[in-house]
Amino acid sequence: MTLENEKTDAGGKSLWAGAWHALKGSWLAMASLGIILVFAVTAVYGEIVYWRYNIINTNPPEVLVPVQKVLARVLMAGNVKGQIPPYQRQDLDFQYKRPGWSCVKAFDGSVKTRFFLMGTDGLGRDVFQRIVQGVRIAFQVGIITSLIAIPIAILFGCLAGYFGGWVDDIIVWLYSTVASMPALLFILSISMVVGKGLTGVYLGIGLTTWVHLCRLIRGEVLKHKELAYVKAARVMGLGDSRIIFRHILPNIVHIIIINFSLRFPAAIETEVIMSFLGIGVQNEPSWGIMISNARFRLWYGVWWELVFTTLAIFLIVLAFNLLGDALRDALDPRLRKQQEEV
Amino acid sequence: MIPTVLGVILVTFVLFNVAGGDPAMLKLGKQATAQRLEEYDVQRGYDKPLICGMWGKTRAYRSDFRFSAAPWGNIPAVVYTNNPNRLILPAGREYSVPLSFELKPNTDYRWELVCRDGGWSEPDSARFVITSGTTVVKVVSLNADLWKKRFVEFRTPAEPGDLKFSFHVAVAPIEVKSLALYKRAGGFFDSQLFFFLGQIVRFDFGISAETNQKVSIMILGGLVPSLILTVPIFFIGLVVQVLLALVCAYYRNRFIDRFFVVISVILMSVPYLVWIIGGQYVFAYRLHMFPVWGFESLKYVILPVLVGVFSGIGGGLRFYRTVILDEVYKDYVRTAFSKGVSKRGVMLKHVLKNAMIPILTSVVMAIPFLYTGSLLLETFFGIPGLGNLSVNAILSSDFDVVRAAVLVGAVIYVIANLVTDLCYAFVDPRVKLR
């Protein structure tokens, strides 16, 4: 409480401390952060459920077999061995049940009562469980596509901005080429080539969405290259890679963070569209597949699957958009300065 | 512009010809005969060498001993073993190479084989023999201590049905590490890349494997419905977004502005699919204001256009608002105000004119979105445009159509980019065309 405060008071607030302070001050930002946290916890829960039922059936490479065994023990996978995971469990007695308690007379005359938070779909599967799995897929897509796209963007952006010359020419050519490809169609055709499934989704989105960030980083590195601290580092005889990654990169990392918070919802939406079209996730409950299934049922009054699924997408995308805005206001000093001038 | 077009062509080529793996297999399925796969390949130039070279692949004989013994699996006495993965042909027999189908007449072919015999057999004890009926065409000795690569070139006769390729192993077993058959291409540059370039130049992308129509005609036919849909979305959307943004900038930091900012974030977060499904459900199905599905008259286009416009408002409004607000605090605006120009006059005449440059840029950035935005709209509302075409093609792995659609979309984007650069010169007197 004491030391840190004294330090910041003496030297002014660091960018991060200031940003956190600004975020804390905005209830909208905190609310969206809360929503994201809830979704993240749900994703982890979905992951646990998924692996609890599936870890025994996977055949990992030899090295990972002990890990598999430990995980199976931790998740108590043995207790559910041979059972169908809850999000796939069908019960034709409970077709299209509204959210809440439902009571049916089964074929053999017995009365069954079950509770469905968000109703059931045409095969009597619990919509809530499927939406949870959708959260899991959405987070996977958001994170893994970022892990593909952001390093590409950083590497190319830094190289182009720092070295200039022919390196710059080639990288600019490369990203203007990728930017010229018709976005969604390009993503879809990449995943068609890779093969339908999550890998196709990851590669399709990851390999096409680095352009915007790359452009931003290149521009920023170009600016920083001329600043005194970089020149000083160069005079001190530091290597290029050290200057780029240890000196310039920390100064532009806020751009990457803002970009991450905006790319995440975009990736989720793209995945939903891909799965909806039948090119994305296969044999797993993804939001796209759920919307695709629920779409025509809406016309017969079965609203819950569609409404809850779209609500989930809407909430997570909205939360990320709002957080991205708040982060931009908090982290981008240029914007902050502009606002002060006004 | 030209480097970008070349880049686009290159990326498309790499995606569909290099990374694409085996399009014939994807399209026709694993059950298809080698003959049909070969026909598919020949029609689309996939049998040619990739970039340049004399020898292209053929499906008459394909094997990869690194992974399996196919197609040698059922041939008696042949042993498949590992480390390195190879075939062993024991001594004292003849083994004829299993071909999937007859070779083409009067064509040059070439075998590439890597084999060894362990080094203790007599010279010429193992041979690779090509016979046509009863006459021997070619004999190659296979004796070598170490792995050795050999090329056996031959020309097929007018009736290649009698052609037979066999290993004659006399004294000691022979080990085969790889065996491959190649067909001679028409020339050094008779390759997939140049075949593709030729297709682009002639605007002839071959015949779709799915519909048996010419791909170029399918593309041209899809262009008109697509444009009927996207051009109104584009212009109506642009006008609505810029007008709303001007209103926001006019009332900046007051209630109307705040309201629109919040609304735009909310609109932005509604998934695109929901716009479409909801619009279709409410306006077409519930209220019967528009037809649900089809493309017969102008009435069928109104709802998709409305959906397109609405889905774009959120992002567009936000963007143009920042663009216009960037201008609002500049010196010339203050000057205009101090000269006594009314607020409305400043907004419409001074600010809008200066904001035109970033607006123009963003308009171009929106063009690829139009292509993809219409992709979903077309699928949902049954409009037979490019989007519908390409989604169906992707679902049925119809490489020709997807490739052409991607390429055409990219080239349209590049051209649009060029047009904007020209427009800059009109909007901004500082930009001069050289």
Side-chain angles (χ1 to χ4, degrees), chain B residues 348-362:
Chain B
L348 287 179
K349 284 203 180 135
H350 300 238
V351 173
L352 186 57
K353 225 176 192 176
N354 279 287
M356 223 50 199
I357 299 162
I359 289 177
L360 256 182
T361 318
S362 77

Side-chain angles (χ1 to χ4, degrees), chain A residues 23-235:
Chain A
L23 277 189
K24 258 202 308 202
S26 147
W27 65 270
L28 214 54
M30 290 323 278
S32 45
L33 203 61
I35 292 177
I36 291 170
L37 276 179
V38 169
F39 269 96
V41 170
T42 315
V44 172
Y45 168 72
E47 204 74 58
I48 290 173
V49 170
Y50 176 82
W51 285 112
R52 182 157 188 236
Y53 285 88
N54 286 297
I55 195 149
I56 292 184
N57 306 331
T58 46
N59 292 318
E62 295 249 332
V63 196
L64 292 177
V65 169
V67 180
Q68 184 198 16
K69 281 190 176 147
V70 171
L71 274 178
R73 180 75 55 83
V74 170
L75 296 170
M76 293 189 289
N79 296 356
V80 292
K81 196 175 175 187
Q83 290 180 27
I84 302 164
Y87 50 89
Q88 305 280 38
R89 213 171 280 157
Q90 302 176 4
D91 190 343
L92 293 178
D93 291 334
F94 287 96
Q95 274 178 328
Y96 298 123
K97 287 292 167 229
R98 287 175 180 282
W101 287 98
S102 42
C103 200
V104 287
K105 208 168 179 187
F107 188 66
D108 56 6
S110 63
V111 175
K112 290 199 279 188
T113 311
R114 282 177 71 187
F115 178 75
F116 299 104
L117 188 59
M118 294 179 183
T120 63
D121 69 357
L123 293 169
R125 295 175 295 195
D126 191 347
V127 171
F128 175 68
Q129 288 287 350
R130 293 173 72 75
I131 285 184
V132 168
Q133 290 301 306
V135 179
R136 174 178 82 89
I137 301 272
F139 267 72
Q140 276 188 10
V141 169
I143 291 169
I144 295 180
T145 55
S146 301
L147 285 181
I148 298 174
I150 290 180
I152 298 180
I154 293 177
L155 183 70
F156 282 174
C158 288
L159 288 182
Y162 188 79
F163 290 108
W166 61 269
V167 180
D168 189 33
D169 289 342
I170 288 180
I171 290 171
V172 169
W173 170 77
L174 190 67
Y175 74 55
S176 44
T177 300
V178 175
S180 308
M181 309 301 285
L184 185 56
L185 190 54
F186 190 40
I187 295 175
L188 292 181
S189 40
I190 289 181
S191 63
M192 173 182 90
V193 164
V194 175
K196 290 169 188 169
L198 266 177
T199 324
V201 176
Y202 297 149
L203 286 179
I205 301 175
L207 292 179
T208 51
T209 51
W210 52 272
V211 174
H212 182 66
L213 181 62
C214 182
R215 237 181 226 151
L216 288 177
I217 291 181
R218 172 177 169 271
E220 212 60 19
V221 172
L222 268 177
K223 252 186 267 165
H224 279 263
K225 199 171 76 170
E226 301 303 323
L227 294 183
Y229 78 94
V230 175
K231 283 183 178 162
R234 213 175 287 156
V235 169

Side-chain angles (χ1 to χ4, degrees), chain B residues 44-324:
Chain B
R44 289 160 182 81
Y46 286 124
D47 62 329
K48 298 176 192 300
L50 199 60
I51 293 167
C52 59
M54 292 311 291
W55 300 99
K57 288 188 215 160
T58 169
R59 289 179 193 270
Y61 177 83
R62 284 257 172 110
S63 68
D64 198 339
F65 297 145
R66 284 174 304 170
F67 304 113
S68 77
W72 289 81
N74 297 327
I75 293 175
V78 174
V79 180
Y80 179 63
T81 179
N82 59 352
N83 199 22
N85 287 356
R86 63 194 192 270
L87 282 188
I88 297 179
L89 309 178
R93 291 182 81 116
E94 269 184 44
Y95 307 90
S96 65
V97 178
L99 288 186
S100 304
F101 52 86
E102 237 174 60
L103 300 182
K104 268 169 73 181
N106 297 323
T107 317
D108 287 318
Y109 282 90
R110 163 160 114 175
W111 286 102
E112 265 183 47
L113 46 129
V114 179
C115 55
R116 69 172 182 192
D117 66 355
W120 42 271
S121 56
E122 296 156 29
D124 275 352
S125 67
R127 287 163 301 158
F128 184 72
V129 183
I130 303 175
T131 50
S132 175
T134 48
T135 52
V136 174
V137 180
K138 206 159 194 174
V139 180
V140 179
S141 169
L142 295 180
N143 293 86
D145 296 357
L146 301 169
W147 292 117
K148 192 176 170 192
K149 191 172 198 171
R150 287 188 180 78
F151 300 105
V152 186
E153 288 183 25
F154 62 97
R155 192 176 172 79
T156 49
E159 272 153 27
D162 307 331
L163 217 53
K164 215 176 127 192
F165 310 95
S166 45
F167 288 95
H168 292 216
V169 189
V171 182
I174 193 117
E175 297 168 43
V176 186
K177 199 156 86 170
S178 85
L179 179 65
L181 181 63
Y182 292 92
K183 192 171 67 179
R184 194 184 188 89
F188 188 67
F189 290 109
D190 181 23
S191 65
Q192 293 184 27
L193 179 62
F194 286 89
F195 184 80
F196 183 43
L197 289 178
Q199 282 188 325
I200 296 166
V201 171
R202 283 180 277 120
F203 197 74
D204 169 18
F205 296 101
I207 290 165
S208 155
E210 186 69 19
T211 59
N212 276 329
Q213 268 179 303
K214 281 192 84 172
V215 175
S216 47
I217 290 175
M218 289 167 77
I219 297 272
L220 284 179
L223 206 57
V224 177
S226 276
L227 288 180
I228 290 178
L229 182 64
T230 51
V231 169
I233 295 180
F234 189 52
F235 284 106
I236 298 174
L238 185 68
V239 170
V240 171
Q241 288 160 17
V242 172
L243 281 182
L244 282 179
L246 279 173
V247 169
C248 280
Y250 190 87
Y251 295 106
R252 64 174 171 277
N253 288 334
R254 279 162 50 189
F255 173 74
I256 293 183
D257 181 32
R258 296 260 162 82
F259 174 75
F260 274 119
V261 168
V262 172
I263 287 287
S264 70
V265 179
I266 291 174
L267 291 188
M268 232 172 79
S269 308
V270 176
Y272 198 73
L273 284 170
V274 173
W275 281 113
I276 302 177
I277 296 174
Q280 212 173 21
Y281 177 69
V282 173
F283 292 105
Y285 179 73
R286 272 285 140 117
L287 303 177
H288 297 290
M289 284 164 74
F290 307 101
V292 174
W293 198 88
F295 186 68
E296 278 157 38
S297 65
L298 217 56
K299 227 173 90 182
Y300 286 80
V301 191
I302 299 175
L303 184 59
V305 167
L306 283 180
V307 169
V309 169
F310 260 90
S311 63
I313 284 182
L317 169 61
R318 243 165 71 98
F319 177 77
Y320 292 125
R321 183 180 163 272
T322 34
V323 163
I324 290 169

Side-chain angles (χ1 to χ4, degrees), chain A residues 16 142-143 145-154 205-206 208-218 252-268 320-321 323-329 331-332:
Chain A
W16 300 105
I143 291 169
T145 55
S146 301
L147 285 181
I148 298 174
I150 290 180
I152 298 180
I154 293 177
I205 301 175
T208 51
T209 51
W210 52 272
V211 174
H212 182 66
L213 181 62
C214 182
R215 237 181 226 151
L216 288 177
I217 291 181
R218 172 177 169 271
I252 57 175
V253 86
H254 63 279
I255 296 179
I256 299 166
I257 290 174
I258 296 166
N259 182 274
F260 173 76
S261 71
L262 294 176
R263 85 162 41 250
F264 205 98
I268 291 176
F320 267 107
N321 278 338
L323 184 74
D325 279 3
L327 274 176
R328 180 165 43 204
D329 293 345
L331 283 174
D332 201 331

